[in-house]
Amino acid sequence: MMKKFDNAYKSIGEVADILDLKDPKTGKLNTHTIRYWETQFKQIKPKFFSSNRRYYDNNTVKLFIKIKYLLKEEGLKI
């Protein structure tokens, strides 16, 4: 299996996996959290390529990591 380059765009599922956004009961990825954060933070602008799927660059993934830290670890509110 080929490994994706670190600087390649990531799908919403890959970002949810990186952020460890999983439902504790089912273990499924919570991609809805990412879509919600998109509506709340205008700095987040996913790319839409030929299919209507969201893709995120490395800077956006780093921003998601900061957002998750501030919301989940530090307890800040949106």
Side-chain angles (χ1 to χ4, degrees), residues 19-62:
L19 297 174
D20 198 30
L21 294 174
K22 292 186 177 111
D23 184 303
K25 291 178 184 168
T26 65
K28 290 178 69 177
L29 294 173
N30 284 335
T31 55
H32 67 274
T33 303
I34 293 171
R35 287 190 295 276
Y36 175 71
W37 288 348
E38 278 180 30
T39 67
Q40 301 302 303
F41 299 96
K42 59 184 172 218
Q43 303 92 324
I44 299 171
K45 293 180 179 73
K47 302 278 186 245
F48 292 92
F49 295 115
S50 56
S51 63
N52 232 3
R53 298 178 145 209
R54 293 167 161 80
Y55 291 93
Y56 305 92
D57 62 16
N58 273 347
N59 290 332
T60 305
V61 173
K62 289 176 188 172

Side-chain angles (χ1 to χ4, degrees), residues 2 5 9-10 15 18 25 32-33 39 41 45-46 50 58 64 66 77:
M2 257 177 67
F5 289 106
Y9 281 93
K10 310 283 190 283
V15 174
I18 290 167
K25 291 178 184 168
H32 67 274
T33 303
T39 67
F41 299 96
K45 293 180 179 73
S50 56
N58 273 347
F64 277 126
K66 288 177 189 173
K77 304 286 182 220

